[in-house]
Each structure stands twice: as structure tokens, then as C-alpha cells.
Amino acid sequence: ITPAVLEDFRNKLFETYAGGTTNKIIETLMIILRSAYKQKLIPSIPEVEKCAVRDQGRGKLTLDEARRVFSVKWTDARAYTASRLSAATGMRLSEVLGLRVSDIASDGKIIISHVWDNRCRELKDTTKSGKPRVAMVPPSVMLDIEKLIEVHPYPGPDAFLFFSMRNKEKPAEPVTITGPLYKAMEAAG
């Protein structure tokens, strides 16, 4: 295993995978090579540079783009309301999915004190910062939230605001929110 072989391997990985993924694979391989060196299975540890990581800048929607996105027809009221709420408050998807009906105050405030951990499939009793916070919600978004509560299939204060159609113990799947958002962005150009 020479530096040239490692470089070729790295470059072939980079043709298929993102830079960060390629670098993680190379780092893992280097751990194996260091262990082989310590066990005297190879005479030296070949060096290879990390590949350049492509900047996948997410960018931000302009105000005009956001207006266009929210003016197209959406297929799911939950996705529309969740996306407007996130755009208006800066809430993360995990925070939006963790909202329960009891977190909504009639005065336009939302208490953000939980997050939905999609990997563990459970509600966590803390936010990323570890502290609950209050977000002010514009009246038009509050109207959308109230409409969503009116058609909620599992009414009650502990129900997830952005409900799953299959399981009242869990919120909607993340793709239920992001899928229609991406379609609306595409439709808006």
C-alpha cells in the first residue's frame, strides 16, 4: 500500500461520494493502517491528503422567493403550516415536530421545550440549547395552526401538533414536511 495507491483510492471515492464522506472513509482506513503498522504487518504508514470538501452552501431564500414558495398550491396542510412556522420563527425541523398542542398559546406565542429525535424515534425533553424558549408567531401563521388543530385526528393537549396519520404516539415523518416543501420550491422556480 503506497501513497499513490491511497491517492487513487481517495480520488475514485471522491468521484462518487461527497468530500466529507470520502475523508471519513480515508480516516477509517488510516486507523486500520496505523494498527497494521503497530503490529508490524506493514513497514510504514503511507500518507495521503484529505480531498477538498465541496461547499454545498444551502443558501437562503429571498423574501420574494419565500413569497412565491408559499403562494403555490401545497399538497399537505401540515407541511405548509410547519414550513411557514419554521420560516417565521427559525425553528428547526426537530423542534417543529416536537411541538404539542399544549405548546401553542392563544396570544401568538409558542413554547419550544421539546425536540423530536427521529433517530431514536422519541420526544426529548430539551432543545439543542438545553433551555426552553418562547417564539412569537405572526397572526397569519397562528390562523394556519388553529385550522390544523381543528382538523386534528387525535385531539388533546398532549397530541403532536404536526400529527402522523398512522400513529397518534408519533409526529409526522420529517419527509411529510420536507417533501412538499421541496415540491413547492421547485414549482416556485
Side-chain angles (χ1 to χ4, degrees):
I1 300 175
T2 65
V5 169
L6 279 180
E7 276 183 33
D8 185 51
F9 177 65
R10 179 205 59 206
N11 294 343
K12 285 183 177 158
L13 285 172
F14 193 53
E15 290 172 8
T16 306
Y17 300 104
T21 302
T22 299
N23 288 337
K24 287 177 186 171
I25 293 169
I26 295 298
E27 287 170 17
T28 303
L29 179 59
M30 295 309 290
I31 291 168
I32 294 167
L33 292 174
R34 280 193 289 277
S35 178
Y37 176 74
K38 284 180 184 176
Q39 295 176 34
K40 300 188 186 312
L41 299 173
I42 57 176
S44 64
I45 303 170
E47 292 295 320
V48 65
E49 291 183 26
K50 290 183 176 184
C51 64
V53 178
R54 295 179 201 141
D55 180 18
Q56 300 193 2
R58 295 175 185 226
K60 298 177 192 170
L61 295 176
T62 66
L63 188 56
D64 182 56
E65 289 169 332
R67 284 186 178 124
R68 287 197 323 258
V69 166
F70 291 115
S71 67
V72 301
K73 182 158 176 57
W74 286 58
T75 57
D76 192 313
R78 294 170 299 169
Y80 177 77
T81 304
S83 296
R84 287 193 69 210
L85 177 63
S86 182
T89 63
M91 291 174 66
R92 296 173 180 88
L93 180 58
S94 61
E95 293 171 336
V96 169
L97 292 176
L99 284 175
R100 293 177 297 181
V101 172
S102 60
D103 297 327
I104 313 303
S106 60
D107 62 355
K109 294 179 183 172
I110 289 185
I111 301 159
I112 306 162
S113 58
H114 299 87
V115 294
W116 178 256
D117 184 333
N118 202 50
R119 272 185 290 152
C120 297
R121 316 280 300 148
E122 66 184 11
L123 187 67
K124 300 283 185 175
D125 287 332
T126 184
T127 60
K128 185 176 179 181
S129 69
K131 301 176 196 169
R133 67 182 191 282
V134 175
M136 293 301 297
V137 180
S140 64
V141 177
M142 277 305 290
L143 284 173
D144 291 336
I145 290 171
E146 289 165 3
K147 288 178 190 174
L148 201 57
I149 291 172
E150 286 175 15
V151 299
H152 204 295
Y154 321 109
D158 290 333
F160 287 103
L161 178 62
F162 298 100
F163 51 88
S164 166
M165 297 300 280
R166 296 184 185 142
N167 185 345
K168 70 178 185 176
E169 304 298 322
K170 297 186 182 340
E173 290 292 326
V175 72
T176 302
I177 307 302
T178 58
L181 170 63
Y182 295 145
K183 286 180 183 173
M185 289 171 67
E186 188 176 313

